[in-house]
Amino acid sequence: MNQARGEWSSRFGFILAAAGSAIGLGNIWGFPIMTAKNGGAAFVLVYLLLTFIVCFPVVMTEIAIGRRTAKNPVGAFKELAPNSQWFLVGGLGITGGFMILSFYVVIAGWVFGYFIEVLAGGLDRLAMDGEFTNFVANPWKNLIYTGLFMLATIGIVVGGIKDGIERWARLLMPALLFMLLALIIYVMTLENAGRGLAFYLIPNFSKITIPVINSALSQAFFSLSLGMGALITYGSYVSRKDDIISSGFIVTVFDSSIAFLAGLLIIPAIFTLAPDTTSETIQAGPGLIFVFLPKVFMNLSNDVGYFFASFLAAFFFLLISFAALTSTISLLEVPTSYVVDERKIVRKKAAITVGIVIFIISIGSILANGASEFFTNFITYPSGVQKDFLSFIADVFFEMLLPLGGFLLTAFAAFRWKTHNLSKEISVGREGYSGSLLDKWISFMIYICPFIIFFIFMNTVLEKFFNIVLF
Ligand code: TRP
């Protein structure tokens, strides 16, 4: 084991860090709204099935490749398939880390900015119509908030595996869980919350169609941080004594649970202000978090006073900031580990340099919401849809590159590395795994996954860029 690379202090440390990577904006504004729009409990069921049947084997493949090689994604593919072009799949992942972080940190900056401005007494202003549009169009403000968020991310990654990433995950993850539960309990006591709960959970199987299954799988993939080697990287710091199958399983359960819990907070909260919400009128994405929820908190101030309502709102935006921070850490760690391993540059210098380059790229996304005409009307797709720079980068690297990476990764495991090697690596630290039913299942799924994931990839590309819907 290469001591200079670092290692998690324990199995629990890895679990928290990997869960931190998985739990992010995707859980908080992706899953709840998707569930609400697409059949409630029926959707939750489909999502859980896909998570455990399709995604869990991919989680295990990434962790196993990482631990087997103790390398960053490029180094890992080079070691397992020397003298081949497979290392390019790792390169795709490193590029993904750069580009995804460059816009993810801008959104994280909005969340953090809302936290600061609510603390400063600005909830009433933030709840006004059009304020979010003003907020994102302000280049200086966003440069500062994004910059601060990036600075925190860099600072933690510079600290290393045990004393940086793991230590902060140990602090932030329990805090996040506590804050989430506290807010859920509070929201449940409010008027009309029960209607939201019913809306969130009553199953409607007629809404489960092929496109819904398709987007559920993309969502699960993204939520588990799959497809760009984040788990290869985190897995590379796992001890050879540890049982990775139970770690991987706990991370997967943790991720789905937080997504589900986020829905128990957000959907009932929406109903306290708008009890007649339907799956057609419910807002998704940034509009929900930054436009609608401040209004919900402002509405509460009629009953509990402005001060307490602001306190709750600040608490909420801090919670999302924590979720986003453990994710940005993992996004920065992937390219950083590459620079440390392959370019032999010390971690501190590597993390700072990579962080600064990403911050420079993120300026494009900061200016993409009204500040600059060029970045705001950046590109028009063949389908005729016009996109700003931030959305364009999200489409290319989130929606497209992640499934492509997942496809190549599972194809690699099935047809090049071979599943008996995968199974051998998983059984290190886990007696009785080889030949077990679980082993057979994971090995089998790794052959099926490339086809399923390729199907999703094709559908996404055709729909996003060409507006062609096959199914
Ligand atoms: N999973 C995180 C979320 O739900 C985002 C994320 C962090 C991610 N690291 C990743 C996604 C690596 C894909 C790959 O918000």
Side-chain angles (χ1 to χ4, degrees):
M1 176 69 54
N2 179 351
Q3 281 307 322
R5 289 187 86 245
E7 205 176 74
W8 308 109
S9 73
S10 67
R11 199 167 76 89
F12 189 56
F14 164 70
I15 292 173
L16 281 183
S21 161
I23 295 163
L25 298 172
N27 300 59
I28 297 186
W29 80 36
F31 181 84
I33 299 303
M34 241 188 192
T35 305
K37 276 189 181 296
N38 296 316
F43 179 84
V44 175
L45 201 69
V46 171
Y47 182 86
L48 288 178
L49 282 175
L50 291 171
T51 296
F52 287 94
I53 294 175
V54 183
C55 298
F56 178 61
V58 187
V59 167
M60 290 317 301
T61 307
E62 284 211 19
I63 301 178
I65 289 178
R67 189 178 64 169
R68 173 80 201 79
T69 57
K71 293 236 164 67
N72 68 89
V74 168
F77 280 99
K78 274 190 182 157
E79 183 168 325
L80 295 180
N83 307 319
S84 74
Q85 303 301 312
W86 280 107
F87 73 91
L88 292 173
V89 180
L92 217 59
I94 312 291
T95 316
F98 261 89
M99 300 309 289
I100 293 175
L101 182 51
S102 83
F103 75 83
Y104 198 96
V105 72
V106 175
I107 300 172
W110 299 345
V111 177
F112 180 64
Y114 266 54
F115 165 68
I116 298 286
E117 298 195 6
V118 168
L119 270 192
L123 178 62
D124 51 352
R125 182 175 45 82
L126 293 172
M128 281 195 254
D129 282 331
E131 182 53 27
F132 176 57
T133 315
N134 291 337
F135 183 96
V136 293
N138 185 326
W140 298 111
K141 225 171 164 158
N142 281 289
L143 218 49
I144 293 173
Y145 291 136
T146 303
L148 287 174
F149 212 91
M150 197 66 195
L151 212 61
T153 308
I154 295 174
I156 294 170
V157 171
V158 163
I161 307 310
K162 217 178 291 184
D163 299 323
I165 302 176
E166 179 179 331
R167 191 167 75 176
W168 281 87
R170 279 178 188 272
L171 196 74
L172 296 175
M173 296 314 290
L176 179 129
L177 187 63
F178 169 78
M179 294 167 94
L180 188 56
L181 291 176
L183 281 174
I184 291 173
I185 292 171
Y186 178 70
V187 165
M188 287 303 165
T189 66
L190 300 174
E191 207 178 321
N192 289 322
R195 290 178 71 165
L197 201 61
F199 172 75
Y200 183 43
L201 292 177
I202 288 177
N204 178 354
F205 282 92
S206 70
K207 292 229 169 178
I208 307 297
T209 56
I210 298 268
V212 167
I213 295 177
N214 196 344
S215 44
L217 190 52
S218 306
Q219 166 71 19
F221 216 72
F222 157 54
S223 185
L224 284 162
S225 299
L226 295 175
M228 53 154 274
L231 280 173
I232 296 184
T233 310
Y234 275 20
S236 75
Y237 308 119
V238 171
S239 152
R240 299 200 68 75
K241 291 197 245 13
D242 287 348
D243 167 6
I244 52 176
I245 203 119
S246 59
S247 303
F249 189 75
I250 296 171
V251 170
T252 310
V253 171
F254 215 171
D255 184 55
S256 318
S257 313
I258 297 284
F260 180 72
L261 285 176
L264 289 183
L265 169 63
I266 288 172
I267 310 288
I270 295 174
F271 275 73
T272 64
L273 177 60
D276 298 318
T277 301
T278 64
S279 51
E280 279 69 44
T281 60
I282 198 163
Q283 282 215 42
L288 170 76
I289 302 285
F290 298 107
V291 179
F292 199 80
L293 284 178
K295 289 190 203 296
V296 170
F297 288 115
M298 201 51 210
N299 178 47
L300 271 182
S301 74
N302 296 332
D303 300 328
V304 299
Y306 188 65
F307 184 81
F308 189 59
S310 298
F311 169 79
L312 286 171
F315 204 67
F316 176 74
F317 284 107
L318 188 64
L319 167 112
I320 312 183
S321 302
F322 283 0
L325 183 58
T326 48
S327 294
T328 54
I329 292 169
S330 82
L331 288 162
L332 180 60
E333 175 59 21
V334 175
T336 300
S337 73
Y338 165 75
V339 175
V340 170
D341 289 351
E342 307 294 309
R343 308 271 148 155
K344 307 279 179 266
I345 292 175
V346 290
R347 166 170 286 274
K348 184 170 173 189
K349 204 169 148 198
I352 294 175
T353 316
V354 172
I356 289 175
V357 173
I358 293 174
F359 180 64
I360 293 171
I361 305 173
S362 75
I363 293 174
S365 291
I366 291 174
L367 301 178
N369 283 283
S372 135
E373 171 65 26
F374 174 73
F375 286 111
T376 305
N377 301 317
F378 189 69
I379 193 168
T380 308
Y381 294 160
S383 63
V385 175
Q386 200 176 41
K387 292 274 174 144
D388 63 81
F389 184 74
L390 192 158
S391 314
F392 170 65
I393 299 289
D395 282 350
V396 173
F397 291 92
F398 240 6
E399 308 260 2
M400 239 173 73
L401 185 134
L402 292 181
L404 182 64
F407 161 68
L408 292 169
L409 176 99
T410 46
F412 172 80
F415 304 109
R416 169 75 200 228
W417 192 36
K418 303 275 157 67
T419 49
H420 67 267
N421 285 314
L422 171 64
S423 144
K424 203 164 102 194
E425 181 56 31
I426 296 177
S427 52
V428 173
R430 170 101 184 177
E431 297 214 357
Y433 176 75
S434 271
S436 67
L437 205 60
L438 191 59
D439 180 13
K440 293 203 175 84
W441 175 248
I442 291 182
S443 301
F444 171 72
M445 277 317 293
I446 291 303
Y447 285 104
I448 312 287
C449 273
F451 300 99
I452 301 181
I453 300 171
F454 190 75
F455 174 78
I456 295 205
F457 170 71
M458 283 313 298
N459 268 347
T460 309
V461 173
L462 290 176
E463 193 200 317
K464 273 260 159 241
F465 296 96
F466 302 96
N467 200 17
I468 299 172
V469 181
L470 287 185
F471 294 94

